[in-house]
């Protein structure tokens, strides 16, 4: 798994294995896993607060959509107008997917609510 931060697969699996007690391949953080969680809440740790956001969209970003060699997808989250996050890497929690971290980038506002995006790129070797 390579996230926007460029974390190599082997290192990522070791970190997750150390934190959770097991390594689960690509952590179960596949595009399909996120698509099953559309419109559900995620908690983002920002300082001493946990900010609730909703997964609004999962966008397939592969150039060759017929290729199964890797996944590349964007996650768009909708936040609350009372909390605005800056671009940063955040610890994110979800009741089904567990705990992981992504670089979140503010991408604008929709109905006075901030939108954020994370890009996930699973690179195969």
């Amino acid at each position: 798994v390579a996230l926007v931060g460029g974390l190599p697969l082997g290192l990522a699996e070791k970190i997750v294995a150390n934190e959770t007690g097991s390594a689960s391949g690509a952590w179960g953080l596949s595009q399909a896993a996120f698509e099953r969680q559309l419109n559900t809440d995620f908690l983002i740790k920002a300082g001493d607060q946990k900010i609730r956001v909703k997964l609004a969209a999962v966008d397939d970003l592969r150039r060759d959509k017929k290729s199964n060699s890797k996944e590349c997808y964007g996650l768009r989250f909708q936040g609350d107008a009372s909390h605005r996050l800056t671009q940063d890497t955040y610890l994110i929690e979800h009741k089904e997917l567990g705990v992981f971290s992504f670089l979140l980038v503010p991408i604008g506002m929709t109905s006075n609510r901030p939108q954020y995006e994370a890009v996930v790129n699973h690179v195969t070797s």
Side-chain angles (χ1 to χ4, degrees):
V1 176
L3 303 179
V4 173
L7 194 61
L9 175 61
L11 178 58
E13 286 183 340
K14 287 178 186 172
I15 291 170
V16 171
N18 288 339
E19 290 181 3
T20 64
S22 66
S24 59
W27 316 348
L29 297 181
S30 66
Q31 181 174 340
F34 280 103
E35 287 171 343
R36 288 190 295 271
Q37 302 308 322
L38 275 170
N39 299 309
T40 64
D41 290 337
F42 288 71
L43 294 174
I44 297 176
K45 184 162 176 30
D48 60 350
Q49 297 182 26
K50 288 189 179 179
I51 310 301
R52 187 173 309 275
V53 297
K54 188 172 294 285
L55 181 59
V58 179
D59 301 309
D60 190 346
L61 302 177
R62 292 176 295 160
R63 287 186 179 181
D64 179 6
K65 306 260 193 265
K66 296 177 184 176
S67 171
N68 289 328
S69 63
K70 68 179 181 176
E71 285 188 321
C72 183
Y73 54 93
L75 304 171
R76 282 187 285 144
F77 297 94
Q78 185 169 12
D80 185 313
S82 64
H83 295 96
R84 294 203 183 159
L85 301 170
T86 60
Q87 179 174 319
D88 205 344
T89 301
Y90 292 96
L91 193 64
I92 303 171
E93 299 176 26
H94 187 267
K95 64 181 179 179
E96 298 292 326
L97 298 176
V99 179
F100 47 91
S101 60
F102 283 151
L103 172 66
L104 290 181
V105 178
I107 58 171
M109 302 285 284
T110 301
S111 301
N112 202 33
R113 298 181 73 168
Q115 301 286 310
Y116 307 100
E117 183 175 45
V119 175
V120 181
N121 189 11
H122 292 273
V123 179
T124 59
S125 50

